[in-house]
Amino acid sequence: MEEKVNYWNKNHLWETELELLKDIISKTELVETTKWGGIVYTFNKRNVIGLGGFKEYFTIWFYNGVFLKDEQKLLINSQEGITKNLRQWRFTSKDEINEKLILAYIAEAIENEKQGKISKPQKKEPIVSTFFENELEINPDLKIAFQKFTPYKQKEFIEYIETAKQEKTKLARMEKIKPMIMENIGLNDGYRK
């Protein structure tokens, strides 16, 4: 049988350390599974923690880490302003692994799951593009073709235009997507196949 590759440890720098963490986690009621090519531990089919090895460190991440007390100040938000709930505990050597402390953090994470402490994603305000709307009003055929797309694909086109900072970039992007819209090709359809 072919061994599964852990894509969150492609460089294989932390094999021993990750096995040690797996042994510690096996003492909990979490269930090991593989999701998105990596090791994830679940409770009642909900993601609680994941493991991974990267170039500079190996890590345990807590999917709802934002709810952990973190009295030891060990957890970080790896993408401030982007990541809402996930928190990482990074290690750079086997010597940093403290089984008792890791089990305490995991026990708290499991308890939070049992209590239903989860953060619901906030709905984003829809993006309005006066530039795009004006273009559709000028070209009725384009408007009809655009309305055939799902709301999700419409949003992708609008965001593509609105993320341009300069007017000339908006114009260039609009010229790029007009034929796509007319041919009923979504902005990111090439990546979805």
Side-chain angles (χ1 to χ4, degrees):
M1 188 170 147
E2 190 176 314
E3 186 180 330
K4 285 186 180 179
V5 176
N6 178 359
Y7 290 102
W8 294 336
N9 189 33
K10 286 183 189 176
N11 54 31
H12 303 286
L13 294 174
W14 310 105
E15 297 292 333
T16 304
E17 291 82 353
L18 289 171
E19 284 302 319
L20 183 56
L21 288 177
K22 286 175 72 172
D23 288 343
I24 293 169
I25 296 165
S26 72
K27 297 174 183 177
T28 71
E29 55 191 306
L30 296 177
V31 176
E32 182 178 327
T33 185
T34 302
K35 294 186 180 185
W36 312 288
I39 302 167
V40 174
Y41 291 87
T42 63
F43 178 80
N44 287 339
K45 298 184 180 179
R46 296 207 30 90
N47 300 337
V48 178
I49 60 174
L51 295 181
F54 298 92
K55 188 175 181 181
E56 304 290 328
Y57 59 89
F58 59 103
T59 183
I60 298 174
W61 56 83
F62 296 83
Y63 284 95
N64 280 309
V66 70
F67 296 112
L68 296 173
K69 292 180 190 116
D70 191 23
E71 293 167 351
Q72 303 294 317
K73 305 292 181 224
L74 297 167
L75 304 179
I76 64 164
N77 182 338
S78 63
Q79 295 180 306
E80 282 296 335
I82 298 171
T83 303
K84 303 291 183 219
N85 297 334
L86 191 99
R87 295 295 181 269
Q88 286 187 349
W89 182 348
R90 293 181 179 177
F91 306 89
T92 56
S93 89
K94 190 165 101 174
D95 299 333
E96 296 173 358
I97 296 174
N98 178 330
E99 181 174 334
K100 186 177 176 184
L101 199 52
I102 290 169
L103 288 172
Y105 271 69
I106 292 172
E108 184 184 352
I110 292 169
E111 187 56 35
N112 287 342
E113 283 297 322
K114 288 178 180 177
Q115 292 176 13
K117 286 186 180 178
I118 57 170
S119 178
K120 302 273 189 220
Q122 295 177 344
K123 285 197 171 191
K124 293 181 181 178
E125 289 295 318
I127 295 176
V128 177
S129 173
T130 309
F131 180 88
F132 196 80
E133 291 295 324
N134 289 341
E135 197 64 38
L136 293 178
E137 291 305 316
I138 294 168
N139 188 337
D141 291 338
L142 186 67
K143 185 174 185 174
I144 291 167
F146 180 71
Q147 290 171 341
K148 292 178 183 174
F149 286 100
T150 63
Y152 182 79
K153 289 185 178 187
Q154 289 177 1
K155 180 181 164 206
E156 287 181 332
F157 282 119
I158 293 168
E159 284 180 347
Y160 180 66
I161 296 296
E162 280 305 301
T163 54
K165 291 180 176 43
Q166 297 182 7
E167 189 77 15
K168 67 180 180 179
T169 308
K170 286 184 181 188
L171 287 167
R173 288 182 179 185
M174 192 69 212
E175 291 308 309
K176 176 185 173 186
I177 66 172
K178 278 182 186 178
M180 295 173 74
I181 293 171
M182 295 305 293
E183 294 172 29
N184 198 31
I185 300 170
L187 184 64
N188 296 308
D189 283 359
Y191 300 109
R192 291 190 176 101
K193 292 181 179 175

